[in-house]
């Protein structure tokens, strides 16, 4: 698959963090990424909230089931379900008091920690990720309302996974595009009600093309728009080598890094997909967009 090859090549330009994505608890993830000012979940939060409100208005419903693709340890769920900011999660998982706990002790603490914060009754966050430990942790401490371990690049959802994730209204992602391609989105949309397709909201690093995914979404009745002239910081580059490699990847696609990646930060764009007739009545912010 052409786009899959492009994603593999682009990923080779990025720093490798595979060792933190599937640990028994999130402490290595947060301590590593805090040093790089990882912030895309925080930057995405207000955008998600506005789009959720728009979905409720347009579809005439209150309760939402949101599927986080590449959910990891449930970071997006922590920010969207609870009265928390990313700084709160960094402070929690990177604190000296948490460092000496066993994974089991940390789980017990986390269940109390999240239970003590407000969780809205009208929002459920579901997750899917290939990292079994991460999904298990997020479910175990109450971040995810349901979670499935699956690699949709390789195979379709089985019956039990379909049942667990049934009825999701919106698909979100904050960095998984590049690790996943149109194959993942095709397999997710294949199990949805075609008469009420979910919206798709993706934050995508500028080095990764989104056209192949948009084509798949279009075949399922979804029109895709990109927020025009606006980007969202993901994190600092791990080092100058990563910065140089990413900028070279951008230049190979005719994308200028001036004022963005050349200043030391990875930047993502925001793509939103929904039926064309719903797009016409979407929130006022959408006129600032490009197809």
């Amino acid at each position: 698959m052409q786009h899959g090859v492009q994603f593999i090549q682009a990923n080779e330009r990025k720093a490798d963090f595979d060792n933190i994505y599937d640990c028994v608890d999130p402490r290595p993830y947060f301590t590593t990424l805090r040093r790089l000012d990882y912030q895309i979940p925080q930057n995405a939060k207000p955008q998600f909230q506005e789009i959720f409100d728009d979905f409720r208005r347009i579809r005439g419903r209150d309760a939402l089931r949101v599927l986080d693709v590449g959910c990891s340890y449930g970071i997006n769920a922590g920010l969207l379900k609870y009265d928390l900011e990313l700084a709160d999660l960094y402070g929690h998982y990177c604190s000296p008091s948490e460092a000496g706990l066993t994974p089991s002790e940390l789980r017990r603490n986390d269940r109390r920690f999240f239970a003590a914060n407000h969780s809205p009754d009208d929002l459920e966050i579901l997750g899917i990720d290939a990292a079994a430990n991460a999904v298990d942790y997020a479910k175990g401490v109450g971040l995810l309302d349901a979670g499935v371990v699956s690699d949709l690049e390789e195979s379709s959802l089985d019956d039990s996974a379909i049942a667990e994730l049934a009825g999701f209204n919106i698909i979100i992602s904050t960095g998984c595009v590049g690790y996943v391609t149109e194959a993942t989105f095709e397999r997710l949309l294949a199990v949805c009600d075609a008469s009420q397709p979910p919206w798709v909201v993706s934050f995508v690093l500028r080095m990764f093309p989104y056209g192949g995914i948009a084509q798949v979404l279009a075949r399922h009745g979804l029109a895709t728009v990109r927020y025009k002239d606006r980007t969202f910081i993901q994190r600092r580059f791990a080092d100058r080598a990563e910065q140089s490699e990413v900028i070279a990847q951008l230049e190979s696609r005719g994308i200028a890094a001036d004022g963005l990646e050349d200043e030391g930060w990875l930047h993502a764009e925001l793509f939103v997909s929904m039926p064309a007739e719903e797009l016409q009545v979407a929130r006022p912010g959408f006129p600032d967009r490009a197809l």
Side-chain angles (χ1 to χ4, degrees), residues 133-272:
N133 285 324
V135 173
D136 180 70
Y137 197 91
K139 288 181 12 179
V141 301
L143 285 168
L144 293 178
D145 295 288
V148 167
V149 179
S150 183
D151 182 354
L152 295 185
E153 292 295 295
E154 299 297 330
S155 60
S156 299
L157 292 168
D158 60 28
D159 290 344
S160 64
I162 292 172
E164 187 158 3
L165 301 180
F168 59 83
N169 311 114
I170 301 178
I171 298 171
I172 65 171
S173 65
T174 53
C176 74
V177 171
Y179 296 107
V180 307
T181 70
E182 55 264 39
T184 287
F185 289 88
E186 176 67 62
R187 286 171 170 142
L188 284 173
L189 289 168
V191 303
C192 295
D193 179 357
S195 68
Q196 290 278 293
W199 290 11
V200 180
V201 187
S202 300
F203 286 83
V204 184
L205 288 177
R206 295 195 325 134
M207 61 195 294
F208 295 116
Y210 198 67
I213 293 172
Q215 289 173 12
V216 164
L217 301 181
R219 291 200 294 270
H220 288 271
L222 303 177
T224 297
V225 295
R226 174 178 59 85
Y227 274 48
K228 183 181 178 183
D229 300 327
R230 181 173 183 185
T231 63
F232 301 83
I233 289 175
Q234 190 203 57
R235 62 168 171 83
R236 293 185 185 277
F237 286 106
D239 50 38
R240 289 188 179 275
E242 184 190 30
Q243 182 180 16
S244 297
E245 291 285 348
V246 168
I247 290 175
Q249 177 69 20
L250 290 167
E251 291 175 346
S252 73
R253 297 184 53 225
I255 300 172
D258 300 355
L260 298 169
E261 288 83 4
D262 68 348
E263 293 189 352
W265 298 90
L266 281 158
H267 284 255
E269 294 179 309
L270 172 55
F271 295 86
V272 182

Side-chain angles (χ1 to χ4, degrees), residues 42-95:
Q42 184 66 50
N43 295 335
K45 177 178 178 176
Q47 309 303 319
F48 284 147
Q49 290 173 325
E50 289 182 350
I51 292 167
F52 294 173
D53 288 344
D54 231 28
F55 184 95
R56 291 184 173 104
R57 174 177 61 83
I58 292 171
R59 293 275 177 103
R61 60 180 302 140
D62 294 323
L64 292 184
R65 282 171 67 84
V66 175
L67 175 60
D68 186 4
V69 179
C71 63
S72 186
Y73 299 95
I75 293 88
N76 286 325
L79 301 191
L80 294 169
K81 282 178 55 179
Y82 300 96
D83 187 21
L84 296 169
E85 305 297 320
L86 187 57
D88 298 316
L89 297 183
Y90 278 133
H92 177 66
Y93 286 111
C94 301
S95 70

